[in-house]
Amino acid sequence: GWKASMKSGSLSYILPCNRLPVQLMSQVRVYTSNGQKKDHGSEDTNKSAREETLNKAETGRQDTTNAGQKQSLPKQPIQVKVKAVLKKREYGPKYTQNNFITGVRAINEFCLKSSDLDQLRKIKRRSPHDDTETFTVYLRSDVEAKSLEVWGSPEALARERKRRKEAEIKYRENLFRNQRLLWEYKEFFGNTKPRSSTATMFFKGPGKVVMVAICINGLNFFFKLLAWVYTGSASMFSEAIHSLADTCNQALLALGISQSARTPDPSHPYGFTNMRYIASLISGVGIFMMGAGLSWYHGIIGLLHPHPVESLLWAYCILAGSLVSEGATLLVAINEIRRSARAKGLSFYQYVVQSRDPSTNVVLLEDAAAVLSVAVAATCMGLTSLTGNPYYDSVGSLGVGTLLGTVSAFLIYTNTEALLGRSIEPEQLQRLTELLESDPVVRAIHDVKATDMGMSKVRFKAEVDFDGRVVTRSYLEKQDIEQLLQEIQQVKTLEELEAFMLKHGENIIDTLGAEVDRLEKDLKQRNPDVRHVDLEIL
């Protein structure tokens, strides 16, 4: 039963008569090398106070029930644990003492000469470029000290930088002026320079298709315009406008092809490939406004104010010639798309819908629309000549305009999708993912993105969780284990341990960078469409 009671503060506690064993938690004090002391005897201050109160209450209960008996608890020794830690190094918000810079940056940014760099320490580092394995860099602190030695003070260095900046601006102005004079000289005396690679693009592939289409559509426009002047047919006027729109748009495509061949520059590091899609997009808008708009306008005017159509014999002859020429251009575009689709392993329909080659697609759709519009115009003109009703001719003009509007809408949609940066096919993305995951150094990959940059160029990005054990083992396989073991046995102090860890830690980081380069190279070799790979270490 309950026989004894005691009070602690203002609270009463009723305890049973049997003695309750009280275990005191021994205090553990941990001392670190920097002199700090940590108490782990209790979890917090409140818990310590409650234990102290309970100990006092237990002592009072023992004095009440067992008078004259003194019980003493054995004193437990204090356990001391010493934890050695390195002193934390403060680097500050801006620390560039260990940064590496290339010789070009050292010369340009610190106004040095190549002879000044010969006296500095040269460090071989892994090259970020595919064509070279290593390249030479310099410590930024050494370069800064050398620049101060050469120029005397930071103010003198700043003045020299300003002077060189002004000289660079003047040089660019003179270069532009000289280029303009050289262009005028070529225009006057003729250009005898060998044919450039840009010019050769128009003798094969999409460039050849575009040039053939420009020549044929230009001739068609001229003859259709003569037929419209002679007959006054609204359908023939629509055909003439259609050929003019095709000629202008294909000239724009030729400009896009020539611009897309430009080499990348600092302002456009990924090149000018999208110029083909931009030209095709503008071409689609031009077809809609110039071709479809004028055809609809002329057809509506013919319905509101009909007038008799003159002899259509010459119109039929010109339409027949246009049908043959447009059909020939259409066959050239079809053969080019079939060849390109076969090389990519795609069907003809998939190649066209995905807009793999926007220039050839525009020629294909424009010539297909031209063949159909010739058939529509000939049919409506035939009905007009048989019945004498000019409304059929105006309806034909509206039909040609509707056909051009449909083609332009498709071109605008496909090229807009390409410019927005759509993802690649799921099957191709799965192959790239499996290739990375099957490598022993990769533990997992996350946030995978693969964007089609146009013209069969893919940009791949992923966050990779690397297996640190495999990376370290790859580093150790290239080391002399016996020599490494001797270095470990010679470590006696914290300073020696720190130097040992820093040395091999930096080498392991370099090994990780080499593994990233290897994975990027494998992705590009096994998937030629992948041109840019960004692997981020997770």
Side-chain angles (χ1 to χ4, degrees), residues 174-464:
N174 294 331
L175 181 63
F176 176 76
R177 189 180 300 108
N178 293 335
Q179 287 178 346
R180 185 173 180 179
L181 292 175
L182 182 62
W183 179 78
E184 294 177 355
Y185 172 83
K186 290 179 179 179
E187 287 291 324
F188 183 77
F189 291 99
N191 189 3
T192 59
K193 188 177 180 180
R195 182 180 297 166
S196 63
S197 58
T198 304
T200 59
M201 294 179 60
F202 295 104
F203 293 92
K204 61 181 180 180
K208 177 182 177 181
V209 176
V210 171
M211 293 305 296
V212 170
I214 289 176
C215 297
I216 291 179
N217 284 318
L219 292 175
N220 288 339
F221 165 70
F222 177 74
F223 288 113
K224 287 178 181 179
L225 186 64
L226 291 180
W228 171 71
V229 172
Y230 180 74
T231 62
S233 171
S235 296
M236 186 55 64
F237 175 80
S238 298
E239 280 299 306
I241 293 300
H242 182 186
S243 297
L244 177 61
D246 289 349
T247 304
C248 295
N249 291 330
Q250 285 152 9
L252 184 62
L253 293 179
L255 178 62
I257 291 175
S258 64
Q259 292 296 316
S260 65
R262 294 169 57 187
T263 56
D265 56 22
S267 300
H268 306 85
Y270 291 106
F272 300 85
T273 306
N274 285 338
M275 281 301 300
R276 294 195 182 191
Y277 292 97
I278 295 174
S280 300
L281 178 62
I282 298 175
S283 176
V285 176
I287 292 174
F288 183 80
M289 296 180 62
M290 188 173 179
L294 288 177
S295 297
W296 284 332
Y297 172 78
H298 207 73
I300 293 173
I301 293 298
L303 291 176
L304 296 177
H305 306 286
H307 61 277
V309 180
E310 303 294 335
S311 176
L312 300 177
L313 178 61
W314 286 104
Y316 289 139
C317 295
I318 293 175
L319 285 179
S322 299
L323 183 63
V324 173
S325 60
E326 298 284 1
T329 310
L330 179 61
L331 289 178
V332 173
I334 289 175
N335 291 332
E336 177 64 24
I337 290 180
R338 281 181 177 176
R339 185 186 63 82
S340 301
R342 193 181 305 113
K344 297 296 180 182
L346 299 174
S347 64
F348 184 87
Y349 175 77
Q350 289 176 335
Y351 193 89
V352 173
V353 171
Q354 295 177 10
S355 189
R356 294 281 179 166
D357 187 356
S359 303
T360 309
N361 278 359
V362 172
V363 175
L364 171 72
L365 295 175
E366 285 183 348
D367 289 338
V371 171
L372 292 177
S373 63
V374 166
V376 171
T379 302
C380 293
M381 289 170 61
L383 292 175
T384 299
S385 62
L386 290 176
T387 62
N389 188 354
Y391 287 105
Y392 290 109
D393 186 59
S394 300
V395 171
S397 180
L398 293 176
V400 172
T402 302
L403 187 61
L404 293 177
T406 304
V407 171
S408 65
F410 179 79
L411 290 176
I412 292 172
Y413 171 76
T414 55
N415 288 283
T416 301
E417 286 291 314
L419 289 173
L420 287 176
R422 60 192 171 194
S423 178
I424 63 177
E425 293 297 320
E427 295 79 9
Q428 186 180 5
L429 182 60
Q430 182 66 24
R431 289 197 300 269
L432 296 175
T433 304
E434 291 176 354
L435 177 61
L436 279 180
E437 291 180 336
S438 60
D439 196 279
V441 78
V442 177
R443 183 182 286 118
I445 60 174
H446 308 278
D447 194 21
V448 180
K449 294 184 178 68
T451 306
D452 187 355
M453 300 176 60
M455 301 303 299
S456 301
K457 293 183 180 179
V458 176
R459 182 180 180 182
F460 182 83
K461 177 263 178 185
E463 294 188 2
V464 184

Side-chain angles (χ1 to χ4, degrees), residues 489-500:
Q489 292 174 350
Q490 293 175 359
V491 173
K492 303 299 182 183
T493 63
L494 292 178
E495 290 75 13
E496 294 177 351
L497 177 62
E498 181 182 5
F500 176 82

Side-chain angles (χ1 to χ4, degrees), residues 125-146:
R125 299 295 297 174
R126 199 167 36 84
S127 174
H129 307 289
D130 297 335
D131 53 350
T132 55
E133 293 184 358
T134 60
F135 72 128
T136 303
V137 294
Y138 303 88
L139 274 174
R140 185 184 182 93
S141 56
D142 293 347
V143 175
E144 291 177 350
K146 187 64 179 179

